[in-house]
Amino acid sequence: MTFVLAIFLGLIISIGGIIIPGMLNMTIAKISIKESQKQALNFALGAVVVVFIQSFLGTYFAKFLDANPVFSEGLKKIGTFIFIGLTIAFTIMGFNAKKKKEIEVKIDKKRNRFLYGMALSSFNMFAIPWYALTTLMMSSKELFQYDIVSILLFSLAAASGTYFVFYLYAKFFKKIEHKLTFIVQNINFLIATLTGIVAVSSLYKMFF
């Protein structure tokens, strides 16, 4: 059951962190439209290799924080307020979705797509703290354990979940481009609900 939870959490946390249109998603969509789906998926593979490393490092780092009650409790409190901030941010993004313009991305045609994916993904500095904080929060609720097998399964699931989202962007973006605003708006509210639940449960545990 522990390993199943690790896989499930890896999938959910990674999908939640990457599904909103951003630089990586839109680059994949642009490559798929302007070049080919094969090139877009090569880019995606390069990106998820980095995601695996980032999720492993973030979770392994969280293991040491979790072993130190002083640091882990402080970080969990910080994480609670981060989730409150995310809830507010995603709610605002949901209401402002109709005003959003298409995200502009520039594609370097001279680069190998796999290496290009690795390069752009490595610039996502939010990934490591995202995985560290989310696994700490899940650990505090006894939903995640920091044994090496769980960490590896979680990281593989995170990479798989990210690739799944990238695949959808490469495969179906052109068909749903005109519906993107509606999708973004609803996803924002869904993520706001999820982060809100985590924030409220963490606040309850903190004060009661």
Side-chain angles (χ1 to χ4, degrees):
M1 187 63 181
T2 300
F3 297 154
V4 173
L5 271 175
I7 294 171
F8 177 75
L9 289 173
L11 289 170
I12 295 300
I13 290 171
S14 63
I15 291 173
I18 200 68
I19 198 166
I20 298 299
M23 185 60 69
L24 289 174
N25 314 54
M26 299 308 293
T27 300
I28 288 171
K30 294 284 187 180
I31 293 174
S32 178
I33 292 170
K34 293 184 177 182
E35 297 178 20
S36 67
Q37 288 182 12
K38 180 180 179 181
Q39 291 291 1
L41 294 177
N42 283 339
F43 177 95
L45 280 174
V48 299
V49 168
V50 175
V51 169
F52 172 80
I53 296 170
Q54 290 170 330
S55 59
F56 183 86
L57 290 176
T59 311
Y60 203 74
F61 176 66
K63 174 184 178 181
F64 290 101
L65 291 175
D66 191 61
N68 190 318
V70 175
F71 286 109
S72 64
E73 287 304 315
L75 195 58
K76 286 171 187 175
K77 290 178 181 179
I78 293 173
T80 299
F81 290 105
I82 289 175
F83 275 103
I84 292 173
L86 287 172
T87 302
I88 295 170
F90 279 116
T91 301
I92 293 172
M93 287 168 65
F95 284 116
N96 292 336
K98 293 182 180 180
K99 301 177 182 178
K100 281 184 175 291
K101 296 180 180 180
E102 183 181 359
I103 299 174
E104 295 293 332
V105 296
K106 294 182 180 180
I107 301 174
D108 188 339
K109 295 182 179 180
K110 297 180 181 180
R111 293 191 178 185
N112 176 284
R113 288 290 167 250
F114 181 84
L115 296 178
Y116 190 32
M118 291 186 69
L120 281 190
S121 186
S122 65
F123 284 114
N124 183 13
M125 295 294 101
F126 183 66
I128 292 176
W130 166 256
Y131 288 114
L133 283 172
T134 49
T135 53
L136 272 174
M137 300 292 284
M138 295 303 104
S139 175
S140 69
K141 295 170 178 50
E142 299 182 353
L143 295 174
F144 186 79
Q145 295 183 12
Y146 288 107
D147 59 273
I148 191 63
V149 177
S150 293
I151 292 174
L152 282 171
L153 288 174
F154 175 88
S155 301
L156 285 170
S160 300
T162 302
Y163 185 81
F164 173 71
V165 173
F166 287 163
Y167 177 83
L168 294 180
Y169 270 83
K171 191 79 173 175
F172 301 111
F173 180 81
K174 195 170 183 178
K175 296 179 181 179
I176 65 170
E177 188 173 5
H178 62 289
K179 299 179 181 178
L180 187 59
T181 300
F182 174 79
I183 294 170
V184 170
Q185 184 180 25
N186 285 277
I187 288 175
N188 280 328
F189 286 129
L190 174 61
I191 295 176
T193 301
L194 294 175
T195 55
I197 291 171
V198 173
V200 170
S201 63
S202 298
L203 283 171
Y204 180 84
K205 189 172 182 179
M206 190 184 301
F207 294 108
F208 299 98

